[in-house]
C-alpha cells in the first residue's frame, strides 16, 4: 500500500495566529497541480483515507486537491498532525489505522517539520527531507512485513515543468 505525505500549499505569512494562515493563490494552484499529478500515479486509482491537519492552510490544501482526486472513502481532521506533531506517534497511528482499515492508499496533509520527519520514519537512516510547499512524498508500506521504503519526493516545480 502507499502513504502519500503532503505539505500544505504556500500560505500568507501573517494572520491572527499560525493556525489561521490561509493559502495564497499560488498555494492553491500548486496544490491543485500536485493533486492532478497524483491522480495519475495512484496504482489502484483510489484514495482510501485522508488525514488533514486542522490548520486552515492544510484544510484549504485538501479542498484544492479534493476536486482533482478520486473520492476518498474516509477524510479525518487530525489534531496530531500539526507542525508540532510527533513523527513517531503519527507513524504508529498510521500503522494501527492501516492494520484495521486495510487501505490501499493514505494521504496525509500536514506541515513542516512533521512531513520531513514523518517521511524519514518510513526509511531507517534517512535524513528528513526538505519539503517545499505543496511537495509530496510516497512511501510504499508492506503491512505483512512492516517494511517500508520512500519511493519518491516530488515538488510542484518538478510536476508542473516536467
Amino acid at each position: 500500500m502507499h502513504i502519500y505525505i503532503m505539505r500544505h500549499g504556500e500560505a500568507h505569512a501573517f494572520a491572527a495566529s499560525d493556525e489561521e494562515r490561509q493559502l495564497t493563490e499560488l498555494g492553491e494552484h500548486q496544490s491543485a497541480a500536485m493533486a492532478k499529478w497524483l491522480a495519475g500515479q495512484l496504482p489502484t486509482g483510489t484514495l482510501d483515507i485522508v488525514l488533514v491537519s486542522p490548520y486552515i492552510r492544510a484544510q484549504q490544501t485538501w479542498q484544492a486537491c479534493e476536486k482533482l482526486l478520486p473520492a476518498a472513502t474516509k477524510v479525518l481532521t487530525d489534531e496530531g498532525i500539526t507542525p508540532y506533531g510527533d513523527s513517531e506517534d503519527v507513524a504508529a497511528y498510521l500503522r494501527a489505522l492501516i492494520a484495521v482499515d486495510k487501505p490501499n492508499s493514505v494521504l496525509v496533509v500536514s506541515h513542516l517539520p512533521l512531513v520531513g520527519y514523518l517521511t524519514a520514519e518510513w526509511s531507517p537512516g534517512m535524513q528528513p527531507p526538505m519539503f517545499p510547499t505543496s511537495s509530496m512524498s510516497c512511501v510504499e508500506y508492506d503491512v505483512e512485513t512492516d517494511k517500508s521504503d520512500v519511493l519518491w519526493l516530488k515538488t510542484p516545480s518538478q510536476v508542473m515543468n516536467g
Side-chain angles (χ1 to χ4, degrees):
M1 62 95 37
H2 291 97
I3 302 165
Y4 303 96
I5 302 169
M6 182 178 192
R7 182 179 175 200
H8 62 79
E10 179 186 87
H12 291 284
F14 299 104
S17 69
D18 187 40
E19 293 87 350
E20 297 175 62
R21 290 177 45 218
Q22 296 195 27
L23 289 188
T24 62
E25 192 174 315
L26 178 63
E28 286 183 41
H29 177 71
Q30 289 180 330
S31 296
M34 291 300 290
K36 185 176 180 183
W37 180 82
L38 177 62
Q41 304 301 310
L42 295 169
T44 61
T46 62
L47 188 59
D48 299 310
I49 300 173
V50 179
L51 299 177
V52 186
S53 161
Y55 286 25
I56 289 174
R57 61 190 178 275
Q59 292 286 322
Q60 290 175 327
T61 298
W62 169 240
Q63 290 163 6
C65 293
E66 183 177 24
K67 304 168 204 158
L68 300 161
L69 290 167
T73 307
K74 186 186 290 188
V75 179
L76 306 168
T77 296
D78 192 309
E79 299 286 335
I81 61 171
T82 65
Y84 313 104
D86 181 280
S87 60
E88 287 181 41
D89 290 347
V90 175
Y93 173 67
L94 282 169
R95 282 184 172 92
L97 185 66
I98 291 164
V100 171
D101 287 1
K102 302 189 181 349
N104 289 312
S105 58
V106 175
L107 171 64
V108 177
V109 182
S110 188
H111 312 264
L112 276 180
L114 180 64
V115 290
Y117 288 114
L118 183 58
T119 297
E121 285 289 331
W122 301 95
S123 185
M126 177 183 202
Q127 289 296 317
M130 288 304 300
F131 263 80
T133 52
S134 296
S135 293
M136 186 182 305
S137 66
C138 175
V139 174
E140 187 172 56
Y141 176 57
D142 185 323
V143 181
E144 303 296 319
T145 63
D146 194 36
K147 300 277 188 226
S148 55
D149 192 29
V150 177
L151 299 182
W152 47 257
L153 173 65
K154 294 288 183 181
T155 66
S157 61
Q158 290 172 316
V159 168
M160 294 165 71
N161 299 327

